[in-house]
Amino acid sequence: MTLYSTPWLVRQAGGPRRFRLYCFPHAGGSAVNYRQWQSKLSPAIEVCAVQLPGRGQRMAETPYSDLPTLVKALAPIIAHQSHLPFAFFGHSMGALIAFELARYCQLHDLPTPQALFVSGTAAPQHRRPSEGLHKMSDDELLNALAKFNGTPPEVLQHKELMAMMLPMMRADFAMVENYQYFPAPILNMPLTVLVGKKDDRTTPEQADGWAKETSNICRVQWFDGDHFFINSETDAVLDCVSSDLHEW
């Protein structure tokens, strides 16, 4: 059974939890990307997937296209949840959201995650120039999405469905491509960087660069697979997450 305590958060019913893992989606993704995680992790860990506007049951809402605005909206929602210790996990766009949200919470004396997991994205100080995906024509954007290997071909070929999804995807890509890193006090929490060995969007140097963002330990973990290794290597990813949460 899935519970929607707020439009933003999707969690699974279950017994007493001791720890919460907030999960943030990739561009074009949604809370459903994390629906299998709860059954694969310890029952003591509550998987709380963040559902952004413009997708799922929030399809009718206007998606965010500006990261600072999204972070300001998310921060009080996270802060007002029950006081379980928690961590952030984000993949690709979700990693940027998780990182900036952690920085915002630390800067504003809000509850902060005990650990941060950033997956499938370069360190913010080592990002490549924008590809301009959010400015592409529909056909160009669909071709680019096919190369990312993150959207099933049958979905990309469903014209009516893609017509509904493309505005949300453009907004997501605009949020990522217009992102600007700004200096701020470094984080004080452990940071785990997850990277696909065949992901040509993140080099070893870009992955190692995350160490500049925390005064705590920073670990880089490599996995088989491309940019969407979290789909093909889910068990290995969750073993990594579980191990680090248990240690920290």
Side-chain angles (χ1 to χ4, degrees):
M1 177 181 178
T2 300
L3 302 179
Y4 291 80
S5 58
T6 80
W8 289 90
L9 305 176
V10 180
R11 52 169 62 96
Q12 301 291 320
R17 312 291 193 187
R18 297 189 180 92
F19 200 89
R20 180 174 293 134
L21 181 65
Y22 289 102
C23 298
F24 302 86
H26 60 83
S30 71
V32 74
N33 296 114
Y34 297 103
R35 64 184 172 184
Q36 302 297 328
W37 283 31
Q38 185 66 74
S39 63
K40 293 177 178 288
L41 288 170
S42 164
I45 300 174
E46 179 186 67
V47 176
C48 193
V50 176
Q51 186 74 300
L52 302 179
R55 64 213 80 203
Q57 293 198 0
R58 307 187 71 185
M59 180 69 76
E61 299 180 46
T62 302
Y64 283 84
S65 59
D66 177 72
L67 186 53
T69 304
L70 172 60
V71 166
K72 289 180 182 179
L74 268 171
I77 294 168
I78 301 296
H80 286 95
Q81 296 302 299
S82 59
H83 298 297
L84 284 177
F86 63 91
F88 288 164
F89 180 100
H91 181 72
S92 198
M93 176 187 77
L96 282 182
I97 297 172
F99 168 66
E100 287 296 344
L101 183 58
R103 292 215 295 176
Y104 184 95
C105 291
Q106 183 169 288
L107 279 169
H108 293 83
D109 295 321
L110 298 174
T112 57
Q114 294 196 356
L116 176 63
F117 296 86
V118 290
S119 172
T121 197
Q125 296 186 54
H126 296 268
R127 292 173 57 78
R128 294 176 180 175
S130 167
E131 298 177 57
L133 294 170
H134 67 288
K135 299 178 181 179
M136 289 181 175
S137 68
D138 287 355
D139 288 342
E140 289 173 330
L141 183 53
L142 288 173
N143 288 334
L145 290 171
K147 294 177 182 178
F148 287 161
N149 197 31
T151 307
E154 60 270 21
V155 174
L156 291 173
Q157 294 167 9
H158 195 302
K159 293 183 178 180
E160 292 81 5
L161 179 58
M162 291 309 302
M164 295 174 58
M165 294 179 62
L166 280 179
M168 173 268 288
M169 291 183 169
R170 287 187 187 282
D172 284 358
F173 285 127
M175 182 158 56
V176 172
E177 294 182 324
N178 293 330
Y179 169 77
Q180 293 185 344
Y181 176 84
F182 61 90
I186 62 174
L187 298 171
N188 56 15
M189 63 203 65
L191 199 159
T192 299
V193 184
L194 299 87
V195 196
K197 294 177 182 177
K198 296 181 180 178
D199 184 0
D200 59 6
R201 305 178 69 83
T202 306
T203 66
E205 180 184 11
Q206 290 172 317
D208 292 342
W210 278 105
K212 300 176 183 177
E213 303 301 334
T214 183
S215 60
N216 210 307
I217 189 171
C218 179
R219 295 178 179 170
V220 178
Q221 302 287 340
W222 291 87
F223 298 85
D224 292 332
D226 57 18
H227 184 64
F228 284 97
F229 65 90
I230 63 165
N231 296 333
S232 60
E233 302 297 321
T234 302
D235 289 345
V237 168
L238 293 180
D239 284 346
C240 171
V241 171
S242 296
S243 175
D244 283 0
L245 288 180
H246 178 75
E247 180 175 339
W248 294 332

